[in-house]
């Protein structure tokens, strides 16, 4: 009988301790004159199903990895190998393994990594060398040339080992065993894909004798006398040189000189150098002072208003492996969309991200690599943040975050983590941070009593509650009442939405205590998939998952801005441009308000344009006075240009544009805009005069024919019409369906329960009288006694056809309607749309701030918004007229009042049934919705529902549309 081998010592995987053999944390810097060798590239790789499938022999230099695969480092193994190495898995709250801390499953995918490297010929022989891992999920055990260095946890944090004594000129073998699950996994339940691997850089760093080791740059700004004080504490004494400021001083000695301050609006950096006997380190120094003063978060003496986003690291092909170009692109997009702040949800990102924030200008809340949300399911029993066994790991994570990122001026707030309950461990983290860095504030949303934090932080509070807090009517502990409120998460950007952004912003700008917030979140986490377009939770066969809840960003996975981001840009504009006569000011003027926190408007150029029926007829520059933050002025517009269309609808559009190139956008980039209408839009008079007459089984009226039995419209001119009827259904949005934990009513499920998605239409009269064809119908769901009595009255002047619709609810309607208007089908060849109304993108009642009145043109295919999970989309608001045309003909629709216009190549029912964009196949009909009203969007996929003023209730309603043929189009 063969003896079984002794079990491997795997206790380190489940030990709550953070690791062993790792060097103390220290600051990150991009470069110095010390040698460095990137170890990124192709590594040999072997995947095992369990943590103990193999012994440690693979780490010996003589080991031959015959038959091993190859993998890219940095990278996640589940995103490589065409599925051979497992698959991603997504959960929001629940752990994807049994909750039995600190134990993890026996089925624990484990990746053995091997990399052989030679030292460059000029690699220094003196001093020491460290190997640095910037990110490994979730537990790594490391060897070099057969000698074990140690192990570590803390996936999004840097770890270093001393290796100088083990290096040889060539044939060095670095071996890393990575376990997907470990005790650290209990601290990393962060509403994201679980993605094991060495996903950030691996670097060999020479540490010369007398090198800097670690240092702390303190660069404060004194706003009263406009001076800055620089003090650099260095573990190894040296000198600090800032040539532009004439500074050449010893470390540890403060120097005060006149400086320009660093802010997110004006990210002024001074090039400097730290010189120790063994190393020269370039520095980029920004002078700024962060304080909690008079109950407000202030920088350089001025309160901030955060116009922020939460940002996970994500790429649709490489997961949390994000390259420098993508990081920069993210920040440039944020700046172009008026975003001024980032919360690093829910872990420190790649350290280079902060260097870019320093350079380009963003306020940053740096959040610790900590979330234990899954313990909420058991009322926080056994939660690691209140268990002394885990406190060393919590402190290690806090220390590694602070020490790595402490020299970035963009980082103004440390966050203890996210959704980790309460406990002694969190208090210990806060105490350590305060002792180490008194120059920043502390955030943690879970501390509702604000015992350890410097601000009152909330997630997704309804607007009414935010207003109550702003007015100081919220009550609560005395300390909390003296602190500012920030919404660390609000306006959940999942699918179509978020709605209500403008309503939140009005509150932020009305109450000093409300210092803004951070939209959840920056990007949809949808993986590129050849068959599905983009994949989300459940698409990889996960046993437990949270579906498309992982797609809740302002960017689509390919980093295309969503309508939600366009809306957010408009809502948070740092310059307000609005009609002065809206609240009693003089007509013919615009009110310009500077909403920046620090900047004047000198960096902007203002211009006006004048549109008639949406077409620009004249433009020119607009002179705006010098306005400091918070100031406003009323600026007179020029006389309206004289045209031959004086009775057509006209408006002024005023834009604020960048006057010069910046690092994040070119000259002419639009920062803000507003429109002023000199007079109200004209209504379209109904077409009357023609008389209907029967033709066999049809009725003719002007350019139209109808089915004599059903009253259904068949043609307008040469255009065939399909299925024109009242429509009240839309494919529910993620926000319509809502989150089950939200207190607001979830209308999507109720709409289905009532049967609005399956309304039946019954015609009970077709009447010809004088100039009118009248069709009387009832629209109602099976199994219910509620309905809508609908009367269609058709008239014509011989060339135009007008439809007046009267809708009367019957029965007790307990929920709003999704929409109310008409739906009709046109031939597939009618693929080009033009309209005069809101655009260029979609909008809904509570997402329409960014809708600009104009004349727009688009192909029907381009009217669709490509949400990862298909849902209602593509409506254009405030439409005066719209037309769809093909090569030979077309149809024009005018509204008696402005209406909502939607056109797509599939029905609402097909859109409703789809679960991925690839499910939607164009048919032989263009389906058009002409809506009198739409229900709002809200944010109820995680936040509040639709505010009352944006709800569409069933009530007696009348509206009209006029149709005409475009036979010569």
């Amino acid at each position: 009988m063969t003896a079984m081998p002794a079990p491997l010592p795997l206790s380190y995987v489940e030990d709550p301790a953070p690791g062993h053999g790792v060097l103390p944390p220290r600051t990150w810097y991009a470069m110095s004159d010390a040698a460095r060798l990137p170890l990124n590239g192709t590594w040999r790789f072997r995947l095992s199903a369990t943590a103990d499938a193999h012994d440690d022999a693979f780490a010996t230099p003589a080991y031959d990895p015959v038959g091993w695969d190859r993998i890219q480092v940095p990278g996640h193994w589940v995103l490589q190998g065409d599925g051979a190495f497992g698959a991603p898995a997504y959960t929001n709250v629940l752990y994807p393994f049994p909750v039995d801390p600190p134990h993890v499953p026996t089925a624990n995918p484990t990746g053995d990594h091997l990399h052989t490297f030679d030292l460059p010929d000029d690699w220094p022989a003196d001093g020491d060398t460290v190997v640095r891992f910037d990110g490994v999920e979730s537990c790594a055990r490391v060897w070099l040339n057969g000698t074990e260095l140690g192990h570590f946890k803390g996936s999004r944090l840097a770890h270093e080992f001393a290796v100088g004594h083990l290096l040889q000129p060539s044939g060095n073998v670095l071996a890393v065993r990575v376990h997907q699950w470990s005790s650290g996994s209990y601290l990393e339940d962060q509403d994201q894909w679980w993605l094991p691997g060495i996903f950030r850089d691996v670097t060999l760093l020479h540490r010369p004798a007398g090198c800097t080791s670690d240092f702390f740059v303190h660069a404060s700004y004194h706003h009263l006398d406009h001076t800055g004080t620089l003090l650099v504490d260095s573990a190894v004494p040296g000198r600090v040189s800032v040539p532009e400021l004439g500074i050449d001083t010893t470390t540890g000695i403060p120097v005060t000189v006149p400086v320009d301050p660093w802010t997110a609006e004006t990210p002024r950096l001074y090039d400097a150098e730290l010189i120790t006997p063994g190393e020269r380190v370039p520095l980029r120094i920004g002078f700024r002072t962060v304080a909690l003063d008079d109950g407000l978060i202030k920088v350089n003496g001025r309160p901030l208003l955060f116009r922020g986003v939460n940002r996970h690291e994500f790429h649709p092909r490489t997961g949390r492996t994000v390259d420098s170009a993508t990081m920069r692109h993210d920040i440039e997009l944020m700046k172009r969309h008026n975003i001024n702040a980032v919360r690093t949800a829910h872990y420190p990102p790649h350290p280079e991200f902060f260097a870019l924030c320093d350079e380009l200008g963003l306020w940053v809340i740096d959040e610790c690599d900590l979330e234990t949300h899954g313990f909420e399911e058991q009322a926080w029993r056994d939660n690691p943040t209140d268990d002394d066994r885990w406190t060393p790991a919590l402190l290690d994570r806090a220390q590694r975050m602070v020490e790595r990122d402490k020299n970035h001026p963009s980082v103004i707030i440390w966050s203890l983590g996210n959704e980790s309950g309460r406990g002694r461990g969190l208090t210990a983290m806060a105490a350590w941070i305060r002792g180490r860095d008194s120059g920043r504030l502390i955030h943690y949303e879970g501390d509702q009593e604000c015992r350890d934090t410097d601000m009152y932080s909330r997630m997704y509070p309804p607007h009414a509650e935010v207003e109550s807090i702003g007015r100081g009517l919220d009550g609560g502990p005395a300390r909390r009442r003296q602190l500012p409120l920030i919404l660390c998460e609000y306006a959940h950007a999942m699918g179509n939405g978020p709605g209500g952004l403008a309503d939140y912003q009005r509150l932020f700008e009305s109450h000093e205590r409300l210092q803004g917030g951070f939209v959840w979140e920056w990007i949809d986490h949808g993986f590129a998939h050849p068959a599905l377009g983009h994949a989300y939770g459940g698409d990889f066969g996960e046993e437990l998952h949270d579906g498309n809840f992982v797609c809740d960003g302002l960017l689509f996975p390919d980093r295309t801005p969503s309508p939600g981001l366009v809306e957010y840009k408009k809502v948070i504009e740092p310059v307000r441009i609005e009609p002065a006569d809206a609240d009693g000011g003089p007509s013919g003027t615009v009110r310009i308000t500077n909403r920046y926190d620090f900047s004047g408007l000198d960096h902007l150029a203002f211009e006006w344009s004048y549109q008639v029926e949406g077409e620009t007829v004249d433009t020119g520059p607009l002179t705006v006075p010098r306005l400091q933050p918070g100031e406003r002025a009323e600026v007179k517009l020029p006389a309206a240009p004289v045209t031959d269309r004086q009775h057509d609808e006209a408006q002024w559009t005023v834009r604020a544009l960048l006057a010069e190139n910046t690092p994040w956008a070119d000259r002419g980039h639009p920062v803000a805009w507003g429109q002023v209408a000199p007079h109200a839009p004209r209504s379209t008079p109904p077409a009357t005069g023609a008389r209907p007459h029967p033709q066999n089984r049809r009725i003719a009226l002007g350019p139209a024919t109808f089915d004599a039995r059903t009253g259904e419209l068949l043609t307008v001119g040469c255009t065939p019409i399909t299925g024109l009827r009242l429509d009240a259904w839309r494919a529910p949005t993620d926000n319509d369906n809502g989150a089950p934990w939200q207190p607001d009513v979830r209308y999507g499920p109720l709409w289905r329960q009532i049967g609005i998605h399956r309304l039946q239409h019954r015609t009970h009269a077709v009447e010809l009288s004088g100039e009118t064809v009248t069709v009387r119908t009832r629209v109602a769901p099976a199994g219910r006694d509620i309905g809508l009595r609908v009367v269609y009255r058709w008239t014509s002047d011989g060339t135009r056809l007008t439809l007046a619709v009267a809708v009367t609810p019957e029965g007790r309607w307990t929920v709003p309607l999704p929409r109310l208007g008409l739906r009709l089908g046109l031939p597939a060849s009618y693929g080009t749309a033009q309209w005069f109304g809101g655009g260029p993108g979609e909008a809904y009642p509570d997402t329409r701030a960014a809708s600009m009145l104009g004349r727009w043109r688009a192909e029907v295919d381009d009217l669709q918004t490509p949400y990862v999970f298909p849902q209602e989309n593509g409506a254009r608001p405030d439409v005066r007229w719209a037309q769809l045309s093909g090569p030979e003909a077309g149809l024009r629709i005018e509204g008696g009042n402005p209406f909502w216009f939607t056109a797509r190549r599939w029905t609402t029912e097909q859109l409703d049934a789809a679960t991925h964009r690839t499910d939607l196949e164009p048919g032989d009909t263009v389906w058009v919705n002409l809506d009198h009203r739409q229900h709002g969007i809200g944010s109820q996929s995680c936040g509040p529902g639709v505010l009352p003023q944006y709800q569409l209730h069933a009530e007696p309603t009348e509206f009209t549309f006029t149709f005409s043929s475009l036979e010569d189009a």
Side-chain angles (χ1 to χ4, degrees), residues 754-839:
I754 290 171
I756 298 179
H757 64 304
R758 50 179 176 78
L759 294 175
Q760 299 182 17
H761 297 251
R762 175 171 59 85
T763 301
H764 59 84
V766 178
E767 303 167 352
L768 279 62
S769 175
E771 299 177 352
T772 305
V773 175
T774 301
V775 182
R776 303 182 185 276
T777 69
R778 188 172 189 272
V779 181
R784 302 285 175 180
D785 64 352
I786 58 173
L788 301 170
R789 189 170 68 251
V790 186
V791 179
Y792 305 90
R793 291 185 173 89
W794 297 92
T795 58
S796 175
D797 60 5
T799 58
R800 299 182 304 141
L801 179 72
T802 293
L803 169 61
V805 182
V807 181
T808 305
E810 295 180 335
R812 183 170 176 266
W813 286 83
T814 58
V815 297
L817 297 171
R819 68 178 350 132
L820 188 66
L822 301 177
R823 181 171 79 169
L824 64 137
L826 298 175
S829 60
Y830 285 38
T832 300
Q834 297 184 62
W835 72 99
F836 172 36

Side-chain angles (χ1 to χ4, degrees), residues 40 671 819:
N40 299 340
V671 172
R819 68 178 350 132

Side-chain angles (χ1 to χ4, degrees), residues 927-947:
W927 292 99
V928 179
N929 277 92
L930 310 171
D931 291 313
H932 174 61
R933 286 191 62 193
Q934 277 263 2
H935 186 66
I937 296 295
S939 186
Q940 204 185 353
S941 53
C942 194
V946 178
L947 290 170

Side-chain angles (χ1 to χ4, degrees), residues 190-214:
Q190 291 145 322
D191 183 14
Q192 60 181 337
W193 294 98
W194 299 89
L195 299 172
I198 305 172
F199 67 93
R200 288 189 189 152
D201 305 301
V202 183
T203 312
L204 201 67
L205 300 167
H206 182 236
R207 301 283 75 218
C211 66
T212 57
S213 180
D214 192 21

Side-chain angles (χ1 to χ4, degrees), residues 459-465 490-492 496-504 730 733-749 751 816 845-847 935-953:
M459 292 182 180
Y460 309 106
H463 297 76
E465 184 179 359
Y490 83 112
H492 196 247
N496 187 335
L501 279 170
D503 305 271
Y504 273 119
R730 73 185 187 196
T733 68
D734 291 311
N735 288 302
D736 289 335
N737 288 327
W741 60 82
Q742 290 299 105
D744 289 341
V745 175
R746 298 164 58 210
Y747 286 123
W751 290 339
D846 54 351
T847 66
H935 186 66
I937 296 295
S939 186
Q940 204 185 353
S941 53
C942 194
V946 178
L947 290 170
Q949 62 266 36
Y950 305 119
Q951 296 179 7
L952 170 56
H953 293 284

Side-chain angles (χ1 to χ4, degrees), residues 55-221:
D55 59 24
D56 303 340
F58 83 103
T60 61
Y63 185 84
D64 183 5
V66 62
W68 283 36
D69 294 294
R70 299 181 186 273
I71 198 170
Q72 290 300 307
V73 171
H76 304 281
W77 70 65
V78 293
L79 299 181
Q80 303 184 58
D82 293 327
F85 305 142
Y90 167 63
T91 61
N92 170 26
V93 176
L94 298 178
Y95 291 100
F97 49 79
V99 180
D100 182 24
H103 305 297
V104 295
T106 300
N108 186 358
T110 296
D112 289 334
H113 300 69
L114 283 174
H115 185 59
T116 302
F117 64 94
D118 300 334
L119 293 179
D121 293 340
D122 59 352
W123 190 264
D126 65 333
D128 199 359
T129 297
V130 301
V131 62
R132 180 182 183 97
F133 295 87
D134 279 309
V136 183
E137 183 175 329
S138 72
C139 174
R141 188 178 176 193
V142 185
W143 296 260
L144 181 64
N145 293 332
T147 298
E148 183 170 355
L149 304 178
H151 62 271
F152 62 85
K153 309 180 189 81
S155 298
R156 268 65 73 174
L157 297 161
H159 298 83
E160 292 180 334
F161 296 97
V163 298
H165 60 294
L166 299 173
L167 286 172
Q168 54 197 32
S170 62
N172 294 283
V173 178
L174 181 61
V176 186
R177 173 164 285 168
V178 180
H179 306 287
Q180 175 161 14
W181 309 124
S182 70
S183 61
S185 303
Y186 284 100
L187 305 180
E188 297 173 2
D189 186 25
Q190 291 145 322
D191 183 14
Q192 60 181 337
W193 294 98
W194 299 89
L195 299 172
I198 305 172
F199 67 93
R200 288 189 189 152
D201 305 301
V202 183
T203 312
L204 201 67
L205 300 167
H206 182 236
R207 301 283 75 218
C211 66
T212 57
S213 180
D214 192 21
F215 57 90
F216 197 161
V217 176
H218 305 271
S220 58
Y221 179 72

